[in-house]
């Protein structure tokens, strides 16, 4: 039987040596994770070794005992900068980077995708204190999700179907938290030896006695209570219902096996007692073997039934441009308005951060001209493009556009199909412009009911522009404000049921943190065209204090100058967020007050 490297078409002797170095590295340091990688399709295993070796290299630099935080950060910086530079050359003298570069090129992965993880490692090098579980979970995500997503992309590129929901961050974040918490418990002794406890202050403050004892590396009933609490929490997070639904049988088996192995790790943690403070808690080999042997047989069968092939090196599209090079490319100004109009100068403290637009009146515009409604959407798409240019030109930070609501499914199928077509056209034709103008595109909305290719196009546009730092344009597509709030409430209820959140302690921030794009600022200005004066289920939570602006023109007749007028109008308004107005001087004695809100 040919070796794995031969199966994966790795023929160059130097490359084979680099991948072999990575493989040994994994097997020596973590036999369980090595065994999990052996469940992957053979053509992907070398890529997994390379990525794992790169991840642990970064992790080791951060954890290096004896170095100052500045030294660690500088070493990590040197390592990632070398990676970006060498990527273009396709070669590195460092075996881990050499294998990683080959993996990135062979499978058309983008090194910029790993940047969030490297940035988080850099932050770790300086030391960090995490206050709450929410901060801890964000940190876990920032460190690991980029690598997990690369794993998904690898599977997809090899021909294993990966459902869209699995590639959306929220679906597996909790599961990842469960894996990471299990790791933190398993390796507690190593963290303590470095004087570190990788748990948030929130939980340590609830178990103060245990925390003191842990810092002294002393086992006690209090420590036992904390460990019992945390293993229970990790088990609940690992038991995510429906995690393997609709997955390819091979991928589903890997996920189920990982879950079983991590439960076995938690059993070992609970059984370890005082030994947990001096050695990593690992399940005994026969336990691992009982889990892994059948998994090996099942995955081997699953992959045999799926024709998978390695891409030939260099067969894919151009090698991704490293991030540092890309960010050095100058962001261009948008094409000017044909009239030569320029944006008004708005003082920075009077500029809205986030403008949301209900682009109404497409249908009426078309009907009044004897045209089919979809012609209104087609011309409306041009108006939208001009407004996006105007938003970039005036220096707006966030622009939300209501493109298709959860209520729009009530429309004629033909009209819906045309809106989907307009979306595809818009996404494809504007990709180069988004790059040139540094526009980041994001999608807020549900996947239900949308054709797979529309979902795919939206996700790809998000992924392609994720590092752009100019205007953020949010496509609210298949979006409904009540649906968004209902989903956020369901997530809170889940957190309460699993014990992560106490119902008496729910704050506004907890709900806001479960909205579709929780890192987006509130809407300052909500503008609706087409003469109607409603907000129609748009960004209900985010618009709580938005200034409202209504104009009569139908959307296809609108251009960037109308956006600038709306912003000008906003800049003159007084926003009070429920506070009393400043007293107005009155000629005849008592001061006058404005309205209440
Ligand atoms: C409301 O007008 C508008 C929409 C439901 C769709 C918005 C679509 C565009 C602006 C065109 C660009 C589209 C994409 C997807 C890029 P309406 O149809 O409700 O108008 P009416 O009130 O006159 O019937």
């Amino acid at each position: 039987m040919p070796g794995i490297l031969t199966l994966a078409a790795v023929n160059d002797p130097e490359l084979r040596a680099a991948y072999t170095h990575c493989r040994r590295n994994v097997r020596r340091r973590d036999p369980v994770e090595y065994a999990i990688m052996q469940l992957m399709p053979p053509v992907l295993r070398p890529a997994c070794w390379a990525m794992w070796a790169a991840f642990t290299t970064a992790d080791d630099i951060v954890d290096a005992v004896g170095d100052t935080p500045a030294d660690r950060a500088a070493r990590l910086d040197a390592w990632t900068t070398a990676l970006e530079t060498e990527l273009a050359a396709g070669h590195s003298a460092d075996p881990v980077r050499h294998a990683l570069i080959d993996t990135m090129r062979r499978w058309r992965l983008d090194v910029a995708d790993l940047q969030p993880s490297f940035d988080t490692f850099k932050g770790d090098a300086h030391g960090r204190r995490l206050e709450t579980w929410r901060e801890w979970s964000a940190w876990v995500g920032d460190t690991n999700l980029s690598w997990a997503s690369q794993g998904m992309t690898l599977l997809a590129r090899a021909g294993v179907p990966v459902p869209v929901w699995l590639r959306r961050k929220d679906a597996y974040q909790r599961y990842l938290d469960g894996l990471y918490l299990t790791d933190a418990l398993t390796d507690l002794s190593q963290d303590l030896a470095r004087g570190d406890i990788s748990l948030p202050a929130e939980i340590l403050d609830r178990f103060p006695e245990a925390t003191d004892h842990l810092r002294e590396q002393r086992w006690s009933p209090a420590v036992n209570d904390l460990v019992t609490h945390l293993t229970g929490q990790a088990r609940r997070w690992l038991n995510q219902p429906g995690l393997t639904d609709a997955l390819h049988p091979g991928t589903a088996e890997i996920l189920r096996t990982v879950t079983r192995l991590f439960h076995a790790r938690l059993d070992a943690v609970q059984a370890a007692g005082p030994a947990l403070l001096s050695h990593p808690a690992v399940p005994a080999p026969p336990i691992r073997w009982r889990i892994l042997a059948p998994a090996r047989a099942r995955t081997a069968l699953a992959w045999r039934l799926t024709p998978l092939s390695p891409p030939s090196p260099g067969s894919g599209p151009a090698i991704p441009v490293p991030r540092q090079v890309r960010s050095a490319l100058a962001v261009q100004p948008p094409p000017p308005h044909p009239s030569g109009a320029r944006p008004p100068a708005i003082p920075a403290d009077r500029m809205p951060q986030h403008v949301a637009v209900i682009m109404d009146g497409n249908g009426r515009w078309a009907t009044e001209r004897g045209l089919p409604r979809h012609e209104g959407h087609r011309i409306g798409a041009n108006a939208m493009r001009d407004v996006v240019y105007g938003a970039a030109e005036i220096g707006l930070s966030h622009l939300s556009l209501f493109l298709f609501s959860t209520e729009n499914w009530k429309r004629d199928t033909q009209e819906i199909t045309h809106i989907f077509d307009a979306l595809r056209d818009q996404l494809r034709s504007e990709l180069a412009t988004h790059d040139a103008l540094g526009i980041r595109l994001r999608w807020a909305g549900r996947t239900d009911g949308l054709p797979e290719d529309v979902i795919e196009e939206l996700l790809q546009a998000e992924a392609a522009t994720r590092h752009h730092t100019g205007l953020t344009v949010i496509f609210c597509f298949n979006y409904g404000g009540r649906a968004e709030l209902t989903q956020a409430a369901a997530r809170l209820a889940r957190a309460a049921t699993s014990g992560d959140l106490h119902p008496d302690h729910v704050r506004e921030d907890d709900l806001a943190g479960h909205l579709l794009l929780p890192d987006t600022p509130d809407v300052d200005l909500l503008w609706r065209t087409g003469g109607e004066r409603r907000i129609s289920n748009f960004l209900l939570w985010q618009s709580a204090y938005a200034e409202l602006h209504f104009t009569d023109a139908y959307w296809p007749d609108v251009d960037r100058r109308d956006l600038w007028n709306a912003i000008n109008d906003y800049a003159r308004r007084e926003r009070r967020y429920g506070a009393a107005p400043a007293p107005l001087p009155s000629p005849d004695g008592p001061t006058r007050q404005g309205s209440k809100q």
Side-chain angles (χ1 to χ4, degrees), residues 249-285:
T251 323
E253 183 61 24
I254 293 181
L255 226 53
R256 275 193 294 268
T257 308
V258 170
T259 310
R260 284 186 204 115
L261 282 168
F262 274 64
H263 276 293
R265 276 187 163 171
L266 289 168
D267 293 340
V269 165
Q270 283 191 290
L276 188 64
L277 304 187
S278 48
H279 302 291
V282 280

Short mmCIF file of all heavy atoms in Angstrom, two decimals, residues 249-285:
data_model
loop_
_atom_site.label_atom_id
_atom_site.label_comp_id
_atom_site.label_asym_id
_atom_site.label_seq_id
_atom_site.Cartn_x
_atom_site.Cartn_y
_atom_site.Cartn_z
N PRO A 249 -21.11 11.06 6.19
CA PRO A 249 -20.89 10.03 7.23
C PRO A 249 -19.47 10.04 7.79
O PRO A 249 -19.27 9.80 8.98
CB PRO A 249 -21.19 8.72 6.51
CG PRO A 249 -21.97 9.10 5.30
CD PRO A 249 -21.70 10.53 4.98
N GLY A 250 -18.48 10.33 6.95
CA GLY A 250 -17.09 10.35 7.43
C GLY A 250 -16.87 11.49 8.42
O GLY A 250 -16.29 11.30 9.49
N THR A 251 -17.34 12.68 8.06
CA THR A 251 -17.17 13.84 8.94
C THR A 251 -17.95 13.63 10.24
O THR A 251 -17.48 13.95 11.34
CB THR A 251 -17.68 15.13 8.24
OG1 THR A 251 -17.35 15.07 6.85
CG2 THR A 251 -17.10 16.36 8.86
N ALA A 252 -19.17 13.07 10.09
CA ALA A 252 -20.01 12.83 11.28
C ALA A 252 -19.30 11.86 12.23
O ALA A 252 -19.29 12.06 13.46
CB ALA A 252 -21.37 12.27 10.86
N GLU A 253 -18.68 10.84 11.67
CA GLU A 253 -18.00 9.85 12.51
C GLU A 253 -16.81 10.49 13.24
O GLU A 253 -16.56 10.22 14.41
CB GLU A 253 -17.54 8.66 11.64
CG GLU A 253 -16.88 7.53 12.40
CD GLU A 253 -17.78 6.88 13.45
OE1 GLU A 253 -19.01 6.94 13.33
OE2 GLU A 253 -17.22 6.33 14.43
N ILE A 254 -16.09 11.37 12.54
CA ILE A 254 -14.95 12.04 13.19
C ILE A 254 -15.46 12.87 14.36
O ILE A 254 -14.93 12.81 15.48
CB ILE A 254 -14.18 12.94 12.20
CG1 ILE A 254 -13.51 12.07 11.14
CG2 ILE A 254 -13.13 13.79 12.93
CD1 ILE A 254 -12.71 12.87 10.11
N LEU A 255 -16.54 13.62 14.14
CA LEU A 255 -17.07 14.48 15.20
C LEU A 255 -17.56 13.65 16.39
O LEU A 255 -17.30 13.98 17.55
CB LEU A 255 -18.21 15.33 14.62
CG LEU A 255 -18.20 16.80 14.96
CD1 LEU A 255 -16.87 17.42 14.61
CD2 LEU A 255 -19.31 17.53 14.21
N ARG A 256 -18.24 12.54 16.09
CA ARG A 256 -18.73 11.68 17.18
C ARG A 256 -17.55 11.10 17.95
O ARG A 256 -17.57 11.01 19.18
CB ARG A 256 -19.59 10.54 16.62
CG ARG A 256 -21.05 10.93 16.39
CD ARG A 256 -21.91 9.69 16.15
NE ARG A 256 -21.55 9.04 14.90
CZ ARG A 256 -22.13 9.30 13.73
NH1 ARG A 256 -23.11 10.18 13.66
NH2 ARG A 256 -21.75 8.68 12.63
N THR A 257 -16.49 10.73 17.23
CA THR A 257 -15.32 10.13 17.89
C THR A 257 -14.62 11.16 18.77
O THR A 257 -14.21 10.86 19.90
CB THR A 257 -14.34 9.57 16.84
OG1 THR A 257 -15.07 8.73 15.96
CG2 THR A 257 -13.21 8.81 17.47
N VAL A 258 -14.51 12.39 18.25
CA VAL A 258 -13.88 13.45 19.05
C VAL A 258 -14.70 13.64 20.33
O VAL A 258 -14.13 13.73 21.44
CB VAL A 258 -13.81 14.76 18.23
CG1 VAL A 258 -13.40 15.92 19.11
CG2 VAL A 258 -12.84 14.62 17.06
N THR A 259 -16.02 13.65 20.20
CA THR A 259 -16.87 13.84 21.39
C THR A 259 -16.62 12.71 22.39
O THR A 259 -16.43 12.96 23.59
CB THR A 259 -18.36 13.88 20.97
OG1 THR A 259 -18.50 14.80 19.90
CG2 THR A 259 -19.24 14.28 22.12
N ARG A 260 -16.57 11.48 21.89
CA ARG A 260 -16.35 10.34 22.82
C ARG A 260 -14.98 10.45 23.49
O ARG A 260 -14.84 10.24 24.69
CB ARG A 260 -16.42 9.01 22.05
CG ARG A 260 -17.84 8.63 21.71
CD ARG A 260 -17.90 7.22 21.09
NE ARG A 260 -19.11 7.13 20.31
CZ ARG A 260 -19.15 6.98 18.98
NH1 ARG A 260 -18.04 6.82 18.28
NH2 ARG A 260 -20.30 6.94 18.36
N LEU A 261 -13.97 10.80 22.69
CA LEU A 261 -12.61 10.89 23.26
C LEU A 261 -12.54 11.99 24.31
O LEU A 261 -11.88 11.83 25.35
CB LEU A 261 -11.59 11.18 22.16
CG LEU A 261 -11.19 9.99 21.29
CD1 LEU A 261 -10.42 10.47 20.06
CD2 LEU A 261 -10.34 9.00 22.08
N PHE A 262 -13.22 13.09 24.07
CA PHE A 262 -13.17 14.19 25.03
C PHE A 262 -13.96 13.86 26.29
O PHE A 262 -13.58 14.27 27.39
CB PHE A 262 -13.58 15.51 24.37
CG PHE A 262 -12.41 16.17 23.69
CD1 PHE A 262 -11.78 15.56 22.61
CD2 PHE A 262 -11.87 17.36 24.16
CE1 PHE A 262 -10.66 16.14 22.00
CE2 PHE A 262 -10.76 17.95 23.56
CZ PHE A 262 -10.15 17.33 22.48
N HIS A 263 -15.04 13.09 26.14
CA HIS A 263 -15.74 12.61 27.36
C HIS A 263 -14.81 11.68 28.14
O HIS A 263 -14.77 11.73 29.37
CB HIS A 263 -17.05 11.91 27.00
CG HIS A 263 -18.20 12.86 26.81
ND1 HIS A 263 -18.72 13.60 27.86
CD2 HIS A 263 -18.91 13.22 25.73
CE1 HIS A 263 -19.71 14.37 27.42
NE2 HIS A 263 -19.85 14.16 26.11
N ALA A 264 -14.05 10.86 27.41
CA ALA A 264 -13.10 9.96 28.10
C ALA A 264 -12.03 10.79 28.81
O ALA A 264 -11.58 10.44 29.91
CB ALA A 264 -12.47 9.00 27.09
N ARG A 265 -11.63 11.91 28.18
CA ARG A 265 -10.65 12.79 28.84
C ARG A 265 -11.25 13.35 30.13
O ARG A 265 -10.57 13.45 31.15
CB ARG A 265 -10.30 13.96 27.93
CG ARG A 265 -9.25 13.63 26.93
CD ARG A 265 -8.84 14.89 26.19
NE ARG A 265 -7.57 14.65 25.52
CZ ARG A 265 -7.01 15.47 24.64
NH1 ARG A 265 -7.61 16.60 24.33
NH2 ARG A 265 -5.86 15.18 24.09
N LEU A 266 -12.54 13.71 30.06
CA LEU A 266 -13.17 14.27 31.26
C LEU A 266 -13.30 13.19 32.35
O LEU A 266 -13.15 13.49 33.54
CB LEU A 266 -14.54 14.86 30.90
CG LEU A 266 -14.46 16.15 30.07
CD1 LEU A 266 -15.82 16.52 29.48
CD2 LEU A 266 -13.91 17.31 30.89
N ASP A 267 -13.56 11.94 31.93
CA ASP A 267 -13.59 10.84 32.91
C ASP A 267 -12.23 10.76 33.60
O ASP A 267 -12.14 10.58 34.83
CB ASP A 267 -13.87 9.49 32.22
CG ASP A 267 -15.26 9.42 31.62
OD1 ASP A 267 -16.13 10.23 32.05
OD2 ASP A 267 -15.49 8.58 30.72
N ALA A 268 -11.17 10.88 32.78
CA ALA A 268 -9.81 10.78 33.34
C ALA A 268 -9.54 11.94 34.30
O ALA A 268 -8.90 11.76 35.34
CB ALA A 268 -8.77 10.76 32.22
N VAL A 269 -10.05 13.11 33.96
CA VAL A 269 -9.86 14.28 34.84
C VAL A 269 -10.54 14.00 36.18
O VAL A 269 -9.97 14.23 37.25
CB VAL A 269 -10.48 15.55 34.18
CG1 VAL A 269 -10.63 16.67 35.19
CG2 VAL A 269 -9.62 16.00 32.99
N GLN A 270 -11.78 13.48 36.12
CA GLN A 270 -12.52 13.24 37.37
C GLN A 270 -11.89 12.14 38.20
O GLN A 270 -11.91 12.19 39.43
CB GLN A 270 -13.97 12.91 37.05
CG GLN A 270 -14.76 14.18 36.69
CD GLN A 270 -16.24 13.94 36.63
OE1 GLN A 270 -16.70 13.26 35.71
NE2 GLN A 270 -16.98 14.46 37.59
N ALA A 271 -11.32 11.14 37.49
CA ALA A 271 -10.73 10.01 38.22
C ALA A 271 -9.35 10.37 38.80
O ALA A 271 -8.86 9.72 39.72
CB ALA A 271 -10.59 8.81 37.28
N ALA A 272 -8.72 11.42 38.27
CA ALA A 272 -7.32 11.69 38.62
C ALA A 272 -7.14 12.12 40.07
O ALA A 272 -6.13 11.78 40.72
CB ALA A 272 -6.76 12.76 37.69
N GLY A 273 -8.07 12.87 40.62
CA GLY A 273 -7.90 13.39 41.99
C GLY A 273 -6.65 14.26 42.06
O GLY A 273 -6.35 15.00 41.12
N PRO A 274 -5.87 14.14 43.18
CA PRO A 274 -4.71 15.01 43.36
C PRO A 274 -3.70 14.94 42.21
O PRO A 274 -2.99 15.91 41.94
CB PRO A 274 -4.06 14.49 44.65
CG PRO A 274 -5.14 13.73 45.35
CD PRO A 274 -6.09 13.22 44.30
N ALA A 275 -3.65 13.79 41.50
CA ALA A 275 -2.67 13.64 40.40
C ALA A 275 -2.91 14.66 39.30
O ALA A 275 -2.00 14.97 38.51
CB ALA A 275 -2.75 12.23 39.82
N LEU A 276 -4.13 15.22 39.24
CA LEU A 276 -4.44 16.21 38.20
C LEU A 276 -3.52 17.43 38.30
O LEU A 276 -3.28 18.11 37.30
CB LEU A 276 -5.90 16.66 38.37
CG LEU A 276 -6.48 17.55 37.28
CD1 LEU A 276 -6.53 16.82 35.95
CD2 LEU A 276 -7.87 18.05 37.67
N LEU A 277 -2.99 17.68 39.51
CA LEU A 277 -2.15 18.86 39.70
C LEU A 277 -0.69 18.61 39.31
O LEU A 277 0.10 19.55 39.25
CB LEU A 277 -2.22 19.34 41.15
CG LEU A 277 -3.63 19.63 41.68
CD1 LEU A 277 -3.56 20.24 43.07
CD2 LEU A 277 -4.39 20.56 40.74
N SER A 278 -0.35 17.33 39.05
CA SER A 278 1.05 17.08 38.69
C SER A 278 1.22 16.46 37.31
O SER A 278 2.32 16.51 36.74
CB SER A 278 1.71 16.17 39.74
OG SER A 278 0.88 15.08 40.00
N HIS A 279 0.15 15.86 36.73
CA HIS A 279 0.30 15.23 35.40
C HIS A 279 -0.93 15.54 34.55
O HIS A 279 -2.03 15.63 35.09
CB HIS A 279 0.33 13.69 35.50
CG HIS A 279 1.41 13.19 36.37
ND1 HIS A 279 2.74 13.28 36.04
CD2 HIS A 279 1.37 12.57 37.58
CE1 HIS A 279 3.45 12.75 37.00
NE2 HIS A 279 2.65 12.32 37.95
N PRO A 280 -0.77 15.62 33.24
CA PRO A 280 -1.96 15.72 32.38
C PRO A 280 -2.84 14.48 32.57
O PRO A 280 -2.31 13.37 32.73
CB PRO A 280 -1.38 15.78 30.97
CG PRO A 280 0.04 16.19 31.13
CD PRO A 280 0.49 15.67 32.48
N ALA A 281 -4.15 14.68 32.56
CA ALA A 281 -5.06 13.55 32.75
C ALA A 281 -5.39 12.96 31.37
O ALA A 281 -6.03 13.63 30.57
CB ALA A 281 -6.33 14.02 33.42
N VAL A 282 -4.89 11.76 31.12
CA VAL A 282 -5.16 11.14 29.80
C VAL A 282 -5.86 9.80 29.99
O VAL A 282 -5.53 9.05 30.92
CB VAL A 282 -3.86 10.93 28.97
CG1 VAL A 282 -3.41 12.19 28.31
CG2 VAL A 282 -2.75 10.35 29.83
N PRO A 283 -6.82 9.48 29.12
CA PRO A 283 -7.48 8.18 29.24
C PRO A 283 -6.49 7.06 28.95
O PRO A 283 -5.59 7.23 28.13
CB PRO A 283 -8.59 8.23 28.17
CG PRO A 283 -8.49 9.54 27.50
CD PRO A 283 -7.32 10.29 28.01
N ALA A 284 -6.67 5.94 29.62
CA ALA A 284 -5.75 4.81 29.43
C ALA A 284 -5.83 4.32 27.98
O ALA A 284 -6.90 4.40 27.36
CB ALA A 284 -6.14 3.68 30.39
N PRO A 285 -4.70 3.77 27.44
CA PRO A 285 -4.69 3.32 26.04
C PRO A 285 -5.86 2.39 25.68
O PRO A 285 -6.45 2.55 24.61
CB PRO A 285 -3.33 2.64 25.89
CG PRO A 285 -2.47 3.37 26.88
CD PRO A 285 -3.36 3.71 28.04
#
